[in-house]
Amino acid sequence: MRADLELIYDWVPQGAHVLDLACGDGALLERLAQEKNVTGYGLEIDPDGITQCVFRGVNVIEHNLDDGLGSFSDNSYDQVIMTQALQALRRPDKMLDEMLRVAEEGIITFPNFAYWRHRIHLGLRGYMPVSKSLPHAWYDTPNIHLSTFNDFEHLCREKGLVIVDRAVGVGDHKGHWTSKWWPNLFGEIAIFRVRRR
């Protein structure tokens, strides 16, 4: 699994009931079900991802996250997870509200636009960066709300949310000590665990 999914795996308790938003190929839910007796559903819009989920035996529902989570009851899950999708939503702030309506705790990952390589690329070359965490050109990217560690922490403070934990991903591995001390500069992938007050 990707490095951010490995970190998330550790944050999901044994036997939890989980809703995985933009679950992709279902790799995380499959492993959680096999090794931690986790139950739940994945939501995915990409037909290839849905096919992979079905192949893996993961419960999946075709769903566009921009439509919200209105078909899910309050507090119906232990955790809601959303990896690498926050930046592609029309209203990421509203989705955060929805996640914490459906579950007490949410786990969110997104590419950190303030990562030092992105800053240098933009500053020296004058072009929007293209990297492993931001793999698309500016004109064909699904990312419409790029943000940083600082931006997300500010949003959580505005909403009165508690940041239970945060972690940093750099490429395909966990962050170096520098990224733990200065995540906004040295963290390529932001990983947050938040809950309501």
Side-chain angles (χ1 to χ4, degrees):
M1 285 194 308
R2 295 187 326 242
D4 60 333
L5 299 183
E6 291 287 348
L7 287 164
I8 290 169
Y9 174 87
D10 293 337
W11 287 348
V12 178
Q14 186 79 22
H17 192 51
V18 169
L19 183 62
D20 188 355
L21 310 180
C23 67
D25 63 5
L28 177 62
L29 278 175
E30 177 188 40
R31 185 162 165 209
L32 287 169
Q34 290 173 348
E35 298 176 11
K36 288 191 166 185
N37 200 29
V38 166
T39 60
Y41 284 89
L43 302 184
E44 181 57 52
I45 194 168
D46 178 54
D48 292 334
I50 293 168
T51 301
Q52 286 296 314
C53 286
V54 171
F55 178 75
R56 291 175 184 270
V58 170
N59 296 323
V60 64
I61 299 168
E62 183 176 2
H63 186 78
N64 184 341
L65 295 181
D66 279 324
D67 294 337
L69 301 177
S71 56
F72 296 92
S73 303
D74 295 0
N75 300 309
S76 53
Y77 288 86
D78 298 314
Q79 287 179 321
V80 177
I81 299 169
M82 183 170 54
T83 61
Q84 303 292 326
L86 186 73
Q87 71 280 0
L89 299 175
R90 284 192 309 258
R91 290 297 306 265
D93 57 330
K94 300 293 185 196
M95 179 51 71
L96 192 55
D97 293 338
E98 280 288 274
M99 289 174 72
L100 295 176
R101 177 187 62 77
V102 171
E104 184 178 333
E105 186 171 278
I107 300 174
I108 300 105
T109 77
F110 56 90
N112 175 30
F113 195 65
Y115 180 51
W116 72 271
R117 289 186 182 197
H118 298 156
R119 293 181 193 207
I120 288 175
H121 186 97
L122 184 60
L124 295 180
R125 299 191 67 204
Y127 293 100
M128 290 295 288
V130 176
S131 66
K132 190 166 188 172
S133 62
L134 296 170
H136 301 281
W138 68 270
Y139 53 84
D140 70 351
T141 182
N143 301 326
I144 57 176
H145 290 292
L146 295 171
S147 63
T148 68
F149 270 86
N150 290 351
D151 289 323
F152 188 79
E153 288 178 351
H154 180 73
L155 177 62
C156 288
R157 280 193 304 273
E158 279 186 351
K159 292 187 166 295
L161 303 178
V162 176
I163 297 173
V164 177
D165 209 343
R166 74 175 187 189
V168 180
V170 179
D172 290 332
H173 58 292
K174 294 179 182 177
H176 186 264
W177 68 268
T178 55
S179 63
K180 290 182 176 71
W181 280 61
W182 300 289
N184 205 49
L185 182 60
F186 293 112
E188 188 174 9
I189 303 295
I191 308 162
F192 282 90
R193 186 174 162 199
V194 298
R195 60 174 51 179
R196 301 177 298 238
R197 225 175 259 288

